[in-house]
Amino acid sequence: DTGVSQDPRHKITKRGQNVTFRCDPISEHNRLYWYRQTLGQGPEFLTYFQNEAQLEKSRLLSDRFSAERPKGSFSTLEIQRTEQGDSAMYLCASSSLAGAAETQYFGPGTRLLVL
Amino acid sequence: DQQVKQNSPSLSVQEGRISILNCDYTNSMFDYFLWYKKYPAEGPTFLISISSIKDKNEDGRFTVFLNKSAKHLSLHIVPSQPGDSAVYFCAAIEGTYKYIFGTGTRLKVLA
């Protein structure tokens, strides 16, 4: 078990460009989450997948953001027409469906800087 | 509006002493809480959790206490070690999967 991995770890882009991040969850986990963390704040929930189905999207996820998990394994988060306010750490987490509450395991995050 | 609050942004403790990190919440529907530790350039790492049916959960040097009437939980680390220096996040689960995090407390353990 190699844990949750994310790629890239760092991304610098110019305003207006599109970026895509990848998350590979722990292999047997069927739940996958994306969070965003800005300086001085805790992680904020963005979206949740159970297998390939996207079951919830936060209002933080504007129309410029789209997330997919096409085969119920890895997931991608795309930001179109990036803005400076998108600069943040994007965290992915996964868990397995086991009871009413389960522990989410986080990846190392992708740090995005929009110039 | 912050539903999970960590009012102390930082805490310094001498090595070997007890570290106490506090967390308050406003939503009485929350019934499961977790603490995560985060080192720079890494993702949060799960530390310990507690269900609302309990008032204490212990794992080695880490103990979490829950006071439901006060909507307050705390994490005790005894004895504190320099390797414990990190940012600690309290989180509550809304529904069955959505984590609501506090803003974190940076703990520095002084050797």
Side-chain angles (χ1 to χ4, degrees):
Chain A
D1 179 4
T2 57
V4 179
S5 61
Q6 293 186 244
D7 183 70
R9 296 290 306 274
H10 304 274
K11 179 70 177 179
I12 300 174
T13 191
K14 292 183 179 178
R15 190 176 53 188
Q17 297 295 304
N18 298 345
V19 294
T20 300
F21 309 142
R22 178 180 169 124
C23 170
D24 287 89
I26 293 171
S27 56
E28 63 269 25
H29 286 180
N30 59 350
R31 290 183 165 187
L32 186 146
Y33 315 80
W34 285 97
Y35 290 82
R36 181 172 70 187
Q37 185 180 13
T38 53
L39 197 63
Q41 300 297 315
E44 294 175 290
F45 172 83
L46 292 179
T47 190
Y48 157 60
F49 289 86
Q50 183 166 311
N51 299 311
E52 66 275 9
Q54 187 175 20
L55 298 185
E56 184 171 350
K57 290 173 61 173
S58 163
R59 63 180 186 278
L60 294 175
L61 220 60
S62 76
D63 292 344
R64 298 184 296 105
F65 288 71
S66 62
E68 293 183 344
R69 194 182 183 198
K71 297 182 180 178
S73 55
F74 73 92
S75 175
T76 58
L77 177 67
E78 180 183 16
I79 309 174
Q80 296 182 325
R81 305 181 303 283
T82 53
E83 301 173 355
Q84 288 182 327
D86 298 331
S87 296
M89 173 77 84
Y90 291 85
L91 293 161
C92 176
S94 70
S95 67
S96 58
L97 181 58
E102 77 281 353
T103 301
Q104 294 180 19
Y105 295 89
F106 283 81
T110 295
R111 184 170 293 283
L112 172 67
L113 177 61
V114 182
L115 302 176
Chain B
D1 188 29
Q2 282 276 342
Q3 297 189 76
V4 177
K5 301 176 186 179
Q6 294 178 258
N7 292 319
S8 298
S10 63
L11 174 69
S12 291
V13 172
Q14 285 294 130
E15 180 180 6
R17 306 295 290 268
I18 184 171
S19 295
I20 300 176
L21 296 96
N22 294 304
C23 178
D24 297 293
Y25 61 95
T26 58
N27 189 338
S28 57
M29 298 299 291
F30 290 154
D31 60 7
Y32 201 83
F33 304 89
L34 310 96
W35 284 93
Y36 279 78
K37 177 171 71 174
K38 187 178 185 303
Y39 293 119
E42 295 183 13
T45 302
F46 170 72
L47 205 51
I48 193 168
S49 61
I50 188 166
S51 164
S52 61
I53 62 174
K54 295 184 175 182
D55 54 18
K56 176 182 174 181
N57 189 24
E58 194 171 352
D59 184 1
R61 296 185 298 113
F62 303 92
T63 303
V64 56
F65 295 91
L66 176 62
N67 183 333
K68 285 185 64 180
S69 60
K71 297 193 183 70
H72 176 84
L73 63 156
S74 61
L75 174 68
H76 292 210
I77 306 174
V78 182
S80 301
Q81 300 173 352
D84 296 329
S85 297
V87 178
Y88 289 78
F89 291 98
C90 166
I93 297 185
E94 182 178 85
T96 60
Y97 58 80
K98 187 188 296 183
Y99 281 20
I100 309 296
F101 282 90
T103 52
T105 296
R106 182 178 301 278
L107 173 66
K108 187 171 184 179
V109 179
L110 307 170

